[in-house]
């Protein structure tokens, strides 16, 4: 069962990176306009400037 | 519109030389609007960025300072077909936004922790019945501790803070037993981990936190959504005034930019938008939206006037000032202060339950420990079982029972066009047995309308309403609302004090006072039939008609009052208007108990009398004079057209021209209250089953996890029933009648 020594920290690390990604998305305001984001994805020219 | 509104006070100048303006946009109905608005604005010279928030219909515009005026943005939007209103986010809303973000972070941490710990816990549970080695189990327990301790320290903050706050005020709330349970379970699990024991409760603790945070976040999100819509509506009504500058020029200003002492010009037919003193001019004003009195008051130099009054026939110059001694505003504020101190703090249902629940649970845990020691168990085992009792009774379902119902029910109210100001409204509304209405603006519509339209010749009425478009007189405005053809006649001229006239098809058309239209005889007959209506006459050549204008009842008022009475509610009217004017309304609605001529203090006295009889009163009112009564009633509602001060006192605000929301609010609240009690019942039954099991020592971490998630899901599912029959079509709230920007004073 020595493999657990590597596997468990790896699993935790993956989980933590998911958490970090969520925190980043929250901080960068990606949840401020949820309905807008859903329709903006359909625009062709959403990368102005 | 030749005049442009001065928006400079809403513009935020930033350090990098750009200016920023927030606008609430009216008229967004599809996703294509995003591109149209943003694309259109970015074409304006100087605009750096325009970003529309499609969720809350707010637009943020940035431009290089000095290259264009904020009015150009509003003008461009108007050209595109949207109405833009300057928007200033209120402090409360910003605070709620911050709190929602914080709760979401806590929720994310708790979610991460509970997933990972559950991964470890399930391995231990299945290992315990197969072949896990004690070393591996200890390793897993230590890992779980490593995740759980920081996670709880972070994600538990909302509960720790709330519990500390309650304890500091020598009260208990639902969070106190939660925090005690969490802390005990955590410390016991750590001790057990050190002793390499078989069971720890890390998974239960973080799962509990995750569930509770879900409830809190949803509650917060619902309230935020309501508040966002409400503050958009508030900014749609941004009041404006014509300020007389030092150099004698007149500028259109938002009233928020006015200071005490500024001079303001009010033309005939405009609504006065500030409180102030008349310094020159004289006029008749209609204060019905302020005091409920429908008879006009003559004002002259040194008279006090209030925001919301309609100026009829003369031009007034006012100085803006706060309330003076002995004025209505002064009295209202004094009464409000009294009402606020006299109102005993309503203890919420959940907190009342917590007050009984916490001591019972803690006694049960103590009894468990003592019993186990007395029956010969070791102190260690006795403590373990006692803590298991605490964990299993940790009021997960109980803490979700009320908030989840509140979330679902306020969603239902939102769809019915009702916005909540206070969170505990449902419990108070459900116990209401008497409804007291104000008359003017509440039972009747806040605007004037023609009441005898059905008796008149349609062609003449059509012509009259089209001619009325050319007049600024408030009575004519009421007639103009009926116009199907919105093009004013060419060459219509207004004769001050008389009316308007135009020549159409070779015959002269006149609209105005009966004498002006030579219809005195007809007018006298009409007045005899309805003494409280204002008369406006119309003539076209030889033909004459007389229009009766007054505030009409809300279209469904009679039906709703009838239905309220069928529900066993006692309906009454307390009005500031003359008794003679209240009587016909009361008769039309079939309300036997009514009083007219009430001053704000009289209304409070009447409400106190009702309270002394043991009645729970729902007060529905809109005028400035109703504000103290709304504050002192058990629970209160006001229409969106109400004065700002009044709206702030009401527990909920409803939209639209109908009275139906009053009934819907009571219905939804009763259903919500029933579900809250059912949910508390479910939580209680769960405890009745779980506590004896825990007492006997059968509660392993696996059982605790199952019991907790089971009871929480049950309570949440039951709460969803508060949505009611979702298929029932509730008409979208009609847009409130926005006051054209130029009208105002």
């Amino acid at each position: 069962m020595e493999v657990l020594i590597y596997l468990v920290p790896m699993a935790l690390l993956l989980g933590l990176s998911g958490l970090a990604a969520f925190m980043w998305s929250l901080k960068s305001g990606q949840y401020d306009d949820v309905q807008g984001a859903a329709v903006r994805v359909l625009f062709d020219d959403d990368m102005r400037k | 519109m030749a005049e442009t509104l001065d928006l400079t006070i809403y513009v935020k100048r930033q350090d990098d030389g750009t200016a920023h303006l927030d606008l609430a946009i009216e008229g967004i109905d599809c996703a294509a609007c995003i591109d149209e608005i943003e694309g259109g604005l970015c074409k304006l010279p100087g605009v750096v960025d325009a970003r529309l928030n499609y969720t809350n219909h707010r637009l943020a515009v940035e431009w290089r300072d000095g290259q264009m005026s904020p009015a150009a943005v509003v003008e461009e939007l108007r050209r595109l077909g949207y109405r833009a209103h300057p928007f200033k986010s209120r402090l409360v809303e910003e605070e709620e936004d911050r709190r929602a973000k914080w709760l979401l972070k806590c929720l994310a941490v708790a979610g991460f922790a509970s997933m990972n710990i559950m991964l470890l816990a399930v391995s231990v549970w299945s290992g315990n019945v197969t072949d896990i080695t004690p070393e591996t189990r200890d390793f897993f327990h230590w890992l779980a501790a490593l995740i759980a301790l920081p996670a709880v320290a972070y994600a538990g903050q909302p509960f720790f803070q709330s519990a500390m706050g309650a304890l500091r005020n020598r009260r208990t709330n639902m969070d106190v037993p939660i925090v005690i349970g969490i802390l005990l379970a955590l410390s016991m699990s750590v001790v057990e981990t050190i002793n390499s024991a078989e069971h720890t409760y890390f998974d239960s603790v973080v799962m509990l936190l995750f569930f509770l945070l879900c409830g809190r976040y949803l509650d917060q999100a619902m309230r935020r959504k309501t508040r966002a819509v409400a503050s958009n509506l508030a900014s749609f009504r941004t009041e404006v005034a014509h300020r007389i500058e030092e150099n004698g020029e007149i500028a259109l200003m938002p009233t928020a930019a006015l200071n005490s002492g500024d001079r303001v010009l009010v033309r005939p037919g405009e609504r006065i938008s500030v409180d102030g003193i008349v310094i020159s001019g004289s006029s008749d004003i209609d204060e019905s939206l302020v005091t409920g009195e429908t008879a006009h008051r003559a004002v002259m130099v040194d008279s006090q006037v209030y925001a919301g009054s309609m100026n009829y026939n003369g031009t007034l110059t006012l100085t803006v000032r706060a309330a003076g001694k002995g004025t209505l505003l002064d009295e209202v504020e004094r009464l409000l202060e009294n009402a606020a101190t006299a109102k005993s703090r309503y203890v919420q249902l959940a907190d009342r339950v917590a007050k009984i629940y916490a001591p019972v649970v803690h006694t049960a845990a103590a009894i468990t420990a003592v019993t186990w020691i007395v029956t010969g168990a070791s102190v260690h085992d006795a403590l373990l079982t006692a803590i298991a009792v605490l964990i299993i009774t940790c009021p997960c379902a109980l803490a979700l029972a009320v908030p989840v119902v509140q979330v679902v029910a306020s969603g239902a109210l939102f769809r019915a066009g009702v916005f909540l100001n206070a969170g505990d409204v449902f419990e108070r509304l459900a116990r209401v047995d008497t409804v007291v209405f104000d008359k003017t603006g509440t039972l009747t519509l806040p605007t004037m309308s023609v009441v005898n339209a059905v008796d008149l010749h349609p062609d003449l009425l059509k012509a009259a309403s089209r001619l009325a478009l050319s007049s600024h007189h408030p009575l004519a405005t009421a007639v103009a609302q009926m116009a199907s053809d919105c093009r004013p006649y060419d060459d219509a001229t207004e004769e001050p004090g008389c009316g308007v006239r135009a020549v159409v098809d070779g015959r002269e058309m006149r609209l105005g006072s009966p004498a002006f239209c030579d219809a005195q005889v007809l007018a006298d007959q009409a007045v005899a039939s309805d003494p409280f209506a204002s008369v406006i006459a119309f003539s076209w050549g030889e033909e004459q008609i007389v229009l009766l204008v007054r505030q009409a009842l809300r279209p469904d008022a009679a039906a709703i009052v009838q239905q309220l009475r069928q529900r066993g509610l006692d309906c009454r009217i307390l009005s500031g208007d003359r008794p003679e004017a209240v009587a016909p309304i009361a008769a039309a609605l079939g309300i036997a108990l009514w009083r007219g001529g009430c001053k704000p203090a009289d209304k409070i006295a009447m409400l106190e009398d009702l309270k002394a009889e043991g009645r729970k009163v729902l007060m529905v009112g809109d005028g400035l004079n109703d504000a103290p009564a709304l504050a002192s009633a058990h629970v209160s509602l006001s229409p969106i057209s109400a004065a700002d001060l009044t709206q702030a006192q009401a527990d909920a605000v409803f939209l639209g021209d109908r009275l139906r929301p009053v009934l819907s609010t009571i219905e939804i609240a009763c259903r919500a209250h029933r579900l809250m009690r059912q949910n508390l019942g479910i939580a209680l039954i769960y405890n009745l089953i779980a506590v004896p099991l825990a007492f006997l020592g059968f509660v392993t971490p696996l059982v605790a996890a199952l019991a907790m998630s089971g009871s929480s899901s049950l309570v949440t599912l039951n709460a969803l029933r508060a949505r009611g029959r979702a298929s029932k079509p509730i008409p979208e709230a009609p847009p409130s009648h926005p006051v054209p920007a130029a009208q105002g004073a």
Side-chain angles (χ1 to χ4, degrees):
Chain A
M1 293 302 252
E2 286 77 28
V3 71
L4 284 177
I5 304 287
Y6 311 106
L7 279 185
V8 168
M10 259 169 76
L12 275 183
L13 224 73
L14 277 175
L16 272 177
S17 54
L19 182 66
F22 177 79
M23 290 294 187
W24 167 78
S25 66
L26 183 66
K27 199 170 177 176
S28 62
Q30 299 190 20
Y31 297 94
D32 290 353
D33 181 14
V34 206
Q35 288 172 26
V39 293
R40 270 173 208 276
V41 73
L42 300 172
F43 294 164
D44 291 333
D45 51 351
D46 55 339
M47 301 291 281
R48 273 199 313 270
K49 273 165 252 158
Chain B
M1 216 184 295
E3 284 175 299
T4 46
L5 184 62
D6 189 346
L7 291 175
T8 31
I9 59 151
Y10 292 103
V11 176
K12 273 179 275 183
R13 302 244 137 66
Q14 288 160 340
D15 295 335
D16 55 356
T18 58
H20 179 108
L21 177 67
D22 287 313
L23 295 164
I25 309 289
E26 211 179 333
I28 294 176
D29 43 19
C30 68
C33 300
I34 301 179
D35 216 25
E36 203 180 348
I37 290 178
E38 291 181 355
L41 286 181
C42 283
K43 283 198 200 97
L44 288 181
V47 170
V48 179
D49 191 24
R51 180 101 185 160
L52 178 77
N53 187 325
Y54 188 59
T55 312
N56 55 20
H57 294 187
R58 287 177 198 159
L59 175 73
V61 193
E62 273 177 30
W63 66 91
R64 278 184 292 281
D65 203 8
Q67 291 204 356
M68 57 169 252
S69 80
V73 175
V74 177
E75 181 55 33
E76 175 67 14
L77 285 168
R78 204 179 60 79
R79 208 183 56 76
L80 292 170
Y82 304 94
R83 250 200 295 268
H85 307 270
F87 174 82
K88 209 171 193 174
S89 68
R90 287 180 287 185
L91 213 58
V92 208
E93 213 184 328
E94 282 173 20
E95 186 54 44
E96 298 246 308
D97 273 356
R98 250 198 306 282
R99 191 175 155 78
K101 255 191 183 161
W102 180 53
L103 279 177
L104 200 55
K105 277 187 200 162
C106 292
L107 186 64
V109 169
F112 158 78
S114 61
M115 277 189 286
N116 283 282
I117 293 176
M118 199 47 87
L119 186 87
L120 300 169
V122 171
S123 318
V124 172
W125 296 338
S126 51
N128 273 346
V129 290
T130 50
D131 58 350
I132 197 170
T133 59
E135 292 76 28
T136 317
R137 190 171 59 210
D138 280 355
F139 174 57
F140 277 16
H141 280 165
W142 278 113
L143 267 178
L146 189 74
I147 305 169
L149 290 175
V152 170
Y154 184 82
Q157 284 176 79
F159 305 98
F160 299 150
Q161 285 177 8
S162 152
M164 279 307 286
L167 287 180
R168 220 174 280 138
N169 294 327
R170 301 182 179 281
R171 289 186 294 119
T172 55
N173 59 11
M174 204 45 104
D175 291 334
V176 175
I178 291 176
V179 168
I180 294 178
I182 287 175
L183 291 181
L184 277 176
L186 262 192
S187 35
M188 183 194 78
S189 299
V190 171
V191 172
E192 290 291 280
T193 306
I194 294 171
N195 294 339
S196 352
E198 232 175 276
H199 294 311
T200 57
Y201 289 94
F202 293 118
D203 59 305
S204 304
V205 174
V206 285
M207 196 169 68
L208 172 75
L209 267 184
F210 181 69
F211 278 134
L212 292 177
L213 282 167
C214 282
R216 296 274 154 114
Y217 178 72
L218 287 177
D219 194 23
Q220 181 83 12
M222 187 67 230
R223 235 174 312 150
R224 223 155 46 100
K225 185 174 159 200
T226 324
R227 217 180 276 269
V229 176
S231 65
N232 274 10
L233 284 174
S235 66
F236 290 174
R237 311 192 311 152
T238 305
E239 303 269 359
V240 293
H242 294 287
R243 184 168 78 179
I244 307 174
E245 307 287 342
E246 293 297 320
N247 57 10
E249 277 178 27
I250 291 171
L252 192 63
M253 289 272 167
T255 48
L258 293 173
N259 295 316
S260 187
D262 282 353
R263 285 182 306 152
V264 165
L265 185 76
V266 188
R267 301 190 184 120
E270 287 182 343
R271 207 171 269 290
I272 299 173
S273 59
V274 293
D275 297 318
I277 305 282
V278 177
I279 48 175
S280 74
S282 67
S283 177
D284 283 338
I285 59 172
D286 172 4
E287 292 188 319
S288 63
L289 292 189
V290 183
T291 60
E293 171 68 71
T294 46
H296 300 172
R297 181 167 75 102
V299 291
M300 54 198 81
V301 174
D302 285 343
S303 305
Q304 167 97 34
V305 292
Y306 303 101
S309 316
M310 175 63 88
N311 180 25
Y312 265 61
N313 37 25
T315 303
L316 297 173
T317 309
L318 315 173
T319 44
V320 181
R321 61 177 259 184
K325 282 267 177 302
T327 62
L328 175 71
L329 208 60
D330 182 48
E331 189 192 354
V332 164
E333 275 176 4
R334 189 173 50 75
L335 286 172
L336 267 182
E337 228 162 81
N338 293 348
T341 46
K343 194 175 192 178
S344 59
R345 257 191 71 89
Y346 178 81
V347 185
Q348 296 189 14
L349 184 60
D351 287 343
R352 266 181 295 162
V353 173
K355 213 171 173 178
I356 310 165
Y357 184 77
V360 169
V361 168
H362 296 154
T363 323
I367 292 173
T368 311
V370 171
T371 321
W372 276 61
I373 291 171
V374 169
T375 49
S378 68
V379 176
H380 173 257
D381 285 352
L383 277 180
L384 255 167
T385 325
I387 289 172
V389 168
L390 272 183
I391 293 174
I392 202 87
T393 55
C394 198
C396 185
L398 214 52
L400 282 173
V402 174
V404 180
V405 177
Q406 269 176 2
V407 173
V408 181
S410 44
L413 275 185
F414 185 80
R415 284 190 298 277
V418 182
F419 303 111
L420 294 182
N421 276 346
D424 58 351
V425 178
F426 296 113
E427 299 159 30
R428 285 186 281 143
L429 268 171
R431 307 198 40 207
V432 160
D433 53 12
T434 309
V435 186
V436 175
F437 289 100
D438 168 48
K439 179 182 78 78
T440 323
T442 305
L443 287 172
T444 64
L445 287 168
T447 47
M448 300 274 204
S449 51
V450 178
V451 288
N452 63 339
V454 284
D455 307 333
L456 303 172
H457 194 280
D459 290 342
L460 288 178
L461 190 63
K462 218 170 112 186
S465 53
R466 198 169 156 197
L467 180 59
L469 291 168
S470 308
S471 171
H472 290 320
H473 196 274
L475 292 180
T477 317
V479 180
Q481 273 171 8
M482 307 182 57
S484 47
D485 188 350
C486 289
R487 292 167 302 166
Y489 288 114
D490 304 329
D491 72 5
T493 47
E494 186 158 15
E495 295 199 3
C498 299
V500 273
R501 67 159 145 223
V503 178
V504 178
D505 300 343
R507 287 186 296 163
E508 194 185 41
M509 200 184 254
R510 289 179 172 209
L511 179 81
S513 64
F516 178 65
C517 302
D518 206 13
Q520 200 59 52
V521 186
L522 264 179
D524 289 344
Q525 286 168 4
V527 169
S529 70
D530 190 347
F532 300 104
S534 306
V535 177
I536 184 163
F538 174 72
S539 66
W540 192 4
E542 295 304 303
E543 292 173 286
Q544 292 153 346
I545 51 168
V546 165
L547 301 127
L548 292 172
V549 176
R550 70 174 150 84
Q551 287 168 328
L553 276 176
R554 286 181 189 263
D556 59 347
I560 294 297
V561 168
Q562 173 77 18
Q563 288 180 38
L564 284 173
R565 220 176 296 115
Q566 275 167 10
R567 288 186 67 96
L569 297 165
D570 188 355
C571 296
R572 299 170 183 226
I573 300 179
L574 283 182
S575 175
D577 204 356
R578 293 153 298 163
E580 311 90 84
V582 186
I585 299 276
L589 297 174
I591 293 177
L593 294 162
W594 57 271
R595 256 185 71 174
C598 295
K599 297 240 172 311
D602 298 337
K603 289 198 178 190
I604 289 194
M606 293 291 291
L607 290 183
E608 290 298 329
D609 287 350
L610 288 172
K611 214 184 272 180
E613 287 173 31
R615 289 170 180 275
K616 303 270 186 258
V617 179
L618 164 65
M619 174 84 203
V620 191
D622 75 315
L624 187 61
N625 62 330
D626 292 315
L630 290 178
S632 69
H634 184 62
V635 58
S636 51
L637 269 174
S638 77
I640 190 77
S641 54
D644 287 343
L645 184 65
T646 313
Q647 263 184 49
Q649 297 304 324
D651 291 310
V653 177
F654 65 90
L655 290 180
D657 276 352
R658 296 179 176 271
L659 206 56
R660 164 128 229 131
V662 176
L663 182 65
S664 320
T665 310
I666 294 179
E667 276 172 354
I668 292 172
C670 285
R671 196 161 58 214
H673 193 245
R674 208 169 45 239
L675 285 170
M676 281 177 194
R677 295 189 9 186
Q678 266 176 24
N679 269 355
L680 289 175
I682 292 176
L684 199 72
I685 292 172
Y686 153 76
N687 277 314
L688 282 181
I689 298 170
V691 171
L693 286 180
F695 182 87
L696 296 173
F698 291 134
V699 172
T700 59
L702 177 61
V703 174
L706 285 178
M708 260 185 210
S709 45
S711 65
S712 302
S713 319
L714 201 62
V715 166
T716 310
L717 287 177
N718 191 38
L720 289 178
R721 301 200 301 138
R723 284 172 66 92
R725 291 167 299 279
S727 57
K728 193 171 82 180
I730 298 165
E732 262 302 281
S736 56
H737 301 293
V739 185
Q743 195 181 24

